[in-house]
């Protein structure tokens, strides 16, 4: 019992652990990544960055500027003019997001170089092209306080820009991000780094070194960074004073890097840099949770689901399960508010699967238990029914004989006959009770079979002799048509009971003056003992049911023969417990043949005894 319970517990733990593993694996799929990003965007919208006074501004080379100044062909004169006007507004620093990697018109380049040199705290961009850094040409680079990379970090599934890689290394040449260089120069502090973060002055930026550089999540300002057209810098100089200015192309027709942000807004690359700068300037960081914390959370959900359905039942269990699932959905939101980005899919999948798995297991377990106790109850009733029925005949004989003996003075010979009858019937009763108990215990798996070795021919002979009087009453002839060779190993008493049952059925369900044949066949290690009658027979549908307890065919009921319908179920149990099986062939109105297929060893010599009694 205890072993069974612990087996059941182990199976339950295995189910919940399997659900945990499946949920965790599901959390690593591409679908999970998409869902997590979608959830991230939703949470960003639900918990937007705090609106503080912006410390940066974007000067945009927009459609209007390009139209007025002759398009991208004139980008260098446009930059030259804009830089002069920006310098006049006295910004803290100026970060340029236009690659100046090629030589242009000499006169234009000279003027641009002068404007760059005139700009205080200038940061120039570089980008990754064909696996190498494309830096500004030396005459421009010489004017810059720093060069930062503008390599965009977009999600490979949905193209949304959520983070910036603060550090990129190519060919052993490391570049900090443009926004970080701008921040360092604006703060006039050096960059210090550890494996987990990057610091500028007192600002510690959580950006652990990973495969993709040092990703930093950008907290986009919902209201955006103040943006003015490059055409109107002079009028808006007050917006730029003391700020870090990001100068770049925003015109749809020309910007090479237009991205989506988590708000679903279309943002040009230069604005993305400004937002990354704002994130650092405000110290408003979001941090990835890493792998261990979500795993721990998943373990917690799976354990809670397992315990819930192990300890609680009914609606209470389902209510707690609902709370677990809701918690798995709410947890990422709560963590997000604390600045921690947790994946939603993995832990939620674990919570869902574990509660579903635990609930299903317990549901079926409870149902199985119910079924078992119901079948135990009905089995018990059936057993009582059977015992009462089977015991009635010997009891009646004993009762009748003893009454005759006490009420009448009988001749000695008759007295002897009656007392012999009482003796044999009470022995039969005792045997019956023993068989009954044995079969019950066998069915419950509480009994080991006796392992006697006996000759098959012996039990065939004994049983045929016992049935003989019944057969004679109906003038049914019986014959043992073949020699029965071989030994059987097992419980002789039970085997006798089984064969006796087949023989009595053959007699019971046959009309008078027919024949019952017993024959044996050997097939290697198998001994087939068959009982063939010429009785009422059965159709194939009936054959399927006869080994079920209490099943009786209509034909049998109508034959007027009494029965309980339990005998054959016991026969089958006995035969299967002996490692054998039952085979039945039958045809309505023509007769049946019941065969016990048993494992048997061949004995050295066995006397073939043919009993042939007709009439
Ligand atoms: P019982 O004989 O007490 O009804 P059994 O379990 O021995 O119960 O048999 C189950 C049913 O199988 C019988 O009621 C009868 O319908 C059918 N059956 C068994 N043996 C035979 C047979 N030799 N010929 C026809 N029907 C049989």
């Amino acid at each position: 019992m205890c072993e069974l319970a612990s087996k059941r517990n182990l199976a339950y733990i295995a189910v919940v652990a399997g659900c945990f593993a499946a949920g965790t694996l599901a959390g690593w799929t591409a679908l999970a990544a998409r869902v997590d990003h979608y959830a991230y965007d939703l949470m960003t919208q639900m918990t937007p960055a705090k609106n503080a006074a912006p410390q940066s501004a974007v000067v945009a080379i927009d459609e209007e500027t390009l139209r007025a100044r002759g398009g991208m062909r004139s980008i260098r004169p446009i930059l030259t003019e804009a830089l002069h006007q920006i310098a006049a507004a006295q910004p803290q620093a100026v970060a340029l997001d236009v690659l100046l990697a090629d030589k242009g018109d000499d006169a234009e380049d000279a003027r641009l170089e002068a404007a760059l040199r005139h700009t205080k705290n200038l940061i120039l961009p570089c980008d990754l092209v064909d696996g190498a850094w494309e830096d500004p040409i030396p005459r421009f680079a010489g004017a810059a306080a720093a060069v930062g990379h503008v390599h965009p970090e977009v999600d490979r599934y949905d193209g949304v820009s959520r983070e910036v890689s603060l550090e990129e290394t190519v060919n052993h040449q490391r570049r900090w991000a443009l926004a970080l260089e701008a921040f360092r120069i604006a703060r006039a502090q050096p960059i210090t780094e550890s494996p987990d973060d990057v610091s500028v002055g007192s600002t510690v930026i959580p950006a652990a070194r990973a495969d993709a550089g040092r990703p930093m999540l950008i907290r986009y300002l919902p209201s955006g960074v103040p943006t003015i057209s490059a055409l109107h810098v002079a009028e808006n100089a007050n917006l730029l004073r003391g700020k870090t200015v990001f100068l770049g192309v925003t015109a749809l027709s020309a910007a090479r890097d237009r991205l989506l942000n988590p708000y679903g807004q279309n943002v040009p690359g230069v604005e993305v840099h400004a937002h990354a700068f704002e994130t650092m300037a405000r110290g408003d960081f979001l941090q990835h949770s890493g792998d261990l914390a979500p795993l721990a959370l998943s373990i917690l959900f799976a354990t809670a689901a397992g315990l819930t359905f192990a300890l609680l039942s009914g609606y209470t269990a389902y209510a707690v399960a609902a709370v677990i699932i809701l918690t798995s959905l709410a947890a990422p939101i709560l963590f997000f508010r604390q600045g921690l980005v947790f994946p939603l899919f993995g832990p939620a999948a674990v919570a869902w699967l574990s509660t579903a798995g635990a609930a299903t297991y317990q549901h079926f377990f409870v149902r199985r238990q119910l079924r078992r106790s119901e079948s135990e109850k009905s089995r018990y009733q059936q057993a009582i029914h059977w015992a009462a029925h089977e015991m009635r005949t010997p009891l009646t004989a004993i009762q009748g004989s003893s009454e005759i003996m006490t009420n009448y003075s009988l001749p000695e010979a008759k007295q002897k006959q009656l007392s012999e009858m009482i003796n044999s019937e009470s022995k039969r009763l005792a045997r019956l009770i023993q068989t009954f108990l044995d079969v019950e215990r066998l069915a419950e798996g509480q009994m080991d079979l006796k392992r006697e070795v006996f000759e098959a021919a012996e039990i065939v002979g004994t049983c045929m002799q016992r049935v003989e009087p019944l057969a004679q009453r109906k003038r049914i002839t019986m014959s043992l048509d073949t020699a029965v060779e071989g030994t059987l190993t097992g419980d002789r008493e039970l085997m006798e009971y089984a064969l006796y049952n087949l023989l009595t059925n053959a007699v019971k369900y046959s009309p008078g003056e027919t024949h019952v044949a017993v024959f044996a066949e050997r097939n290697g290690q198998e001994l087939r003992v068959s009982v063939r009658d010429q009785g009422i027979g059965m159709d194939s549908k009936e054959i399927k049911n006869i080994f079920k307890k209490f099943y009786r065919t209509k034909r049998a009921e109508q034959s007027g023969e009494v029965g309980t319908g339990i005998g054959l179920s016991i026969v089958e149990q006995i035969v299967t417990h002996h490692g054998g099986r039952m085979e039945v062939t039958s045809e309505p109105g023509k007769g049946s043949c019941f065969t016990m297929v048993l494992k048997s060893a061949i004995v050295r010599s066995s006397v073939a005894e043919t009993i042939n009694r007709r009439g």
Side-chain angles (χ1 to χ4, degrees), residues 81-95:
E81 185 185 340
L83 281 168
H84 278 302
Q85 290 183 350
I86 291 167
Q90 296 179 327
Q92 182 80 32
V94 178

Side-chain angles (χ1 to χ4, degrees), residues 389-390 501-502 505-510 531 533 535-538 542 545-548 550-557 561-571 586 591-594:
H389 185 273
E390 294 288 302
N501 227 283
L502 297 182
N505 274 353
V507 171
K508 231 163 63 173
Y509 299 116
S510 295
V531 178
D533 63 45
I536 56 174
M538 294 165 281
E542 290 168 331
N545 290 310
I546 48 171
F547 292 107
K548 288 183 186 155
F550 293 97
Y551 176 83
R552 302 198 74 209
T553 63
K554 270 219 177 70
R555 252 179 282 273
E557 299 274 12
E561 292 288 350
V562 285
T564 56
I566 201 167
L568 282 183
S569 75
I570 295 176
V571 170
S586 186
S592 316
C593 182
F594 283 77

